[in-house]
Amino acid sequence: MFRPEYSRLIASLPATVPFVAPDVLERISGRGISLRLGANESAFGISPQAQFAILQAIGRISWYGDPESFRLREKLAHMHRVAMGNLVIGSGIDDLLGLVVRAFVEQGTSVVTSLGSYPTFSYHVAGYGGALHFVPYRDYRNDLSGLAVAAIETGARLIYLANPDNPTGSWHGAGCLDTFLHEVPNNCVVLLDEAYGEFLLPEDVLPIIPEDPRVIRLRTFSKAHGMAGARIGYGIAAAEAITAFSKVRVQFGVNSLAQAGALASLDDSRFIASVITAVAEGRDEYYVLGQKLGMPALRSATNFVALDTGSASKAQYIKDSLLQRGVFVRVPGTAPLDQLIRVTVGTPGERTAFAEALRDLAEYLCLPGSEAPNSIESDSHGPGLRGSS
Ligand SMILES: *Cc1c(COP(=O)(O)O)cnc(C)c1O
């Protein structure tokens, strides 16, 4: 029987996925998920204008989309005050991560990231044969000096940093990032994953210097814009980097409906502002809930909050028990982050249902505050917060 010969790299890789999707979890467990709070999808839907634009675009679905995403890049260039040649569009950050890694990483190339950070980056590095070097989090935050030192020590060509971070929700402001860029060796590219960039305060966002060859930033329409299923995101980088990406990117890889929706969503800044406000309210509610139940919340600049259960076994137990009740949350896979449960900010109704489910469990686990239902809204939040910037 003929056995095809796979590349040595592919043959050497274990069959893994970066993380198991909720739909897959449903199939494995044979149980429906009624509260989908584990994938940081937006609970607040998409802009009505974006929805209308997508419906209109269906009329042209038999045509290939614009491989240059011209109109979208034009709008983004204007918005970020960069040239169109500083922008690349991809089918989400996950796609763009693969493109950036492909452009810089070959067999044995050193790459640095945090231990337990967003796993799709490492997945791509493994897929191109790079040598990953991990730096532990420090107090549930990316250790910027540690990352810079590791880059020097390993001769890294690329550092990956999610800011704001997933899975902790923590962030570093513009000042810290500027210091970090001075510490990073000159020949090392910093890949900034800003999937949650919209949730940062403007003063915390690192200024964009379009021709800085060392910084590549990735943004997405999956989170604040609520278009995760549409698969669209973009990268901002020096023109030379964009040219490099264009040598190998999938030219027709971005869905035309997604292009139309993204374009319209950028025009609906009022809608996005309302999402950001609603998410901030929900985060505050989770902070108070965590405090009540003895699971301190980490301060977050994202659309999710990580609650610290105090031990990995407790976090696993809570996650599994919640899943049995149809509630999907995530627990990071790597110690010491594996004692966190990461929960997406839902709608007010979803948050109430989540709080009830968690309180029931907390009662069972004999955690403090669990016998005091209906008290989440009535408390202030001050102590009990951890992490932060
Ligand atoms: C959600 C998320 C992504 C995925 O973005 P897509 O554009 O949907 O691929 C990337 N990075 C981080 C840190 C995320 O949390």
Side-chain angles (χ1 to χ4, degrees):
M1 202 31 191
F2 168 71
R3 270 193 75 208
E5 199 174 328
Y6 297 94
S7 77
R8 262 172 300 174
L9 176 58
I10 291 300
S12 74
L13 293 176
T16 52
V17 292
F19 39 74
V20 185
D23 308 81
V24 179
L25 275 176
E26 278 189 324
R27 282 193 290 274
I28 295 172
S29 68
R31 210 179 286 272
I33 289 171
S34 52
L35 264 187
R36 188 163 156 142
L37 300 176
N40 305 336
E41 295 148 327
S42 179
F44 305 95
I46 66 169
S47 140
Q49 278 168 235
Q51 185 159 352
F52 181 74
I54 289 171
L55 289 172
Q56 294 273 297
I58 289 178
R60 299 183 299 276
I61 197 68
S62 54
W63 297 351
Y64 286 103
D66 176 5
E68 298 181 357
S69 299
F70 188 90
R71 289 184 61 206
L72 183 57
R73 282 193 304 129
E74 195 175 43
K75 188 172 289 291
L76 287 167
H78 183 72
M79 199 178 120
H80 292 294
R81 293 165 211 232
V82 298
M84 284 176 69
N86 294 120
L87 289 159
V88 59
I89 312 293
S91 50
I93 289 182
D94 284 4
D95 173 38
L96 293 163
L97 287 173
L99 197 55
V100 175
V101 169
R102 185 176 181 187
F104 291 100
V105 175
E106 51 209 315
Q107 194 75 39
T109 304
S110 280
V111 169
V112 168
T113 187
S114 296
L115 180 63
S117 71
Y118 186 67
T120 307
F121 173 73
S122 306
Y123 171 81
H124 285 302
V125 173
Y128 287 103
L132 281 157
H133 301 278
F134 295 106
V135 176
Y137 279 75
R138 184 185 280 237
D139 297 330
Y140 291 137
R141 304 180 68 207
N142 287 292
D143 177 1
L144 296 187
S145 319
L147 288 165
V149 169
I152 294 165
E153 284 175 0
T154 63
R157 202 179 278 172
L158 188 62
I159 299 181
Y160 169 82
L161 175 69
N163 190 61
D165 183 57
N166 181 1
T168 65
S170 64
W171 71 100
H172 288 284
C176 296
L177 289 174
D178 194 53
T179 307
F180 170 62
L181 288 175
H182 282 95
E183 291 170 359
V184 169
N186 273 331
N187 55 1
C188 180
V189 170
V190 175
L191 176 53
L192 272 186
D193 180 339
E194 299 182 323
Y196 303 96
E198 290 89 348
F199 299 99
L200 275 177
L201 295 174
E203 63 266 28
D204 280 334
V205 180
L206 190 74
I208 293 176
I209 303 165
E211 282 312 320
D212 184 347
R214 295 170 62 216
V215 181
I216 297 172
R217 325 163 67 119
L218 303 180
R219 298 276 182 106
T220 182
F221 290 89
S222 296
K223 305 289 158 67
H225 290 266
M227 292 175 50
R231 310 306 306 132
I232 186 160
Y234 59 99
I236 310 174
E240 188 188 292
I242 303 293
T243 305
F245 303 150
S246 290
K247 294 177 184 174
V248 288
R249 74 181 175 89
V250 178
Q251 294 288 332
F252 291 94
V254 181
N255 187 315
S256 59
L257 301 184
Q259 287 182 32
L263 194 63
S265 194
L266 288 175
D267 272 337
D268 200 348
S269 50
R270 272 181 48 196
F271 173 79
I272 301 303
S274 74
V275 170
I276 288 162
T277 307
V279 165
E281 275 169 28
R283 281 196 310 250
D284 285 349
E285 235 175 80
Y286 284 161
Y287 295 161
V288 177
L289 178 70
Q291 187 191 351
K292 277 264 178 266
L293 299 183
M295 300 180 210
L298 275 54
R299 293 244 305 162
S300 166
T302 66
N303 68 352
F304 64 85
V305 169
L307 302 174
D308 190 348
T309 69
S311 84
S313 55
K314 202 186 270 181
Q316 275 303 323
Y317 176 83
I318 291 172
K319 183 198 74 175
D320 292 343
S321 310
L322 285 173
L323 190 60
Q324 282 182 2
R325 292 158 193 243
V327 182
F328 166 54
V329 299
R330 247 193 241 288
V331 169
T334 312
L337 306 182
D338 57 356
Q339 62 188 52
L340 303 173
I341 58 172
R342 195 197 69 189
V343 53
T344 308
V345 173
T347 60
E350 287 173 331
R351 285 171 347 229
T352 305
F354 172 72
E356 272 164 20
L358 193 62
R359 216 183 281 118
D360 279 357
L361 270 178
E363 207 160 300
Y364 188 72
L365 286 168
C366 299
L367 291 171
S370 46
E371 64 293 323
N374 298 328
S375 52
I376 353 171
E377 289 95 343
S378 61
D379 212 83
S380 70
H381 48 279
L385 292 179
R386 298 201 28 196
S388 97
S389 165

